[in-house]
């Protein structure tokens, strides 16, 4: 029981760290892309938000999966 709790905690931490890191990278990249492609007006906010959330989800997924794989060792 204790091992499963420890593993679940590691996976949760991996997802949280991946989400935070992915969100930061996505916000920077989304801002750069919005300026580069001259996205008009309030569409910039939507574009940056979509990039941030998408990047956070992907990073969180992969870091959580990596943590899951390391729990088996």
């Amino acid at each position: 029981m204790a091992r499963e709790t420890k593993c679940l905690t590691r996976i949760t931490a991996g997802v949280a760290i991946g989400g935070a890191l992915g969100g930061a990278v996505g916000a920077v990249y989304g801002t750069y892309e919005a300026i580069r492609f001259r996205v008009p007006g309030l569409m910039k906010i939507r574009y940056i938000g979509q990039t941030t959330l998408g990047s956070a989800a992907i990073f969180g997924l992969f870091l959580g999966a990596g943590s899951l794989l390391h729990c088996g060792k």
Side-chain angles (χ1 to χ4, degrees):
M1 179 73 174
R3 185 171 186 215
E4 290 131 12
T5 305
K6 184 178 177 185
C7 188
L8 184 62
T9 303
R10 287 184 68 181
I11 294 169
T12 306
V15 170
I17 291 170
L21 181 64
V25 170
V28 170
Y29 184 70
T31 303
Y32 169 74
E33 288 278 312
I35 293 170
R36 179 177 171 210
F37 291 125
R38 296 188 174 108
V39 177
L42 291 176
M43 291 296 289
K44 281 185 182 122
I45 295 171
R46 181 177 179 190
Y47 186 81
I48 294 168
Q50 285 177 341
T51 307
T52 301
L53 291 177
S55 187
I58 293 296
F59 271 71
L61 175 74
F62 283 116
L63 209 57
S67 297
L68 176 65
L69 291 175
H70 281 286
C71 278
K73 289 184 179 181

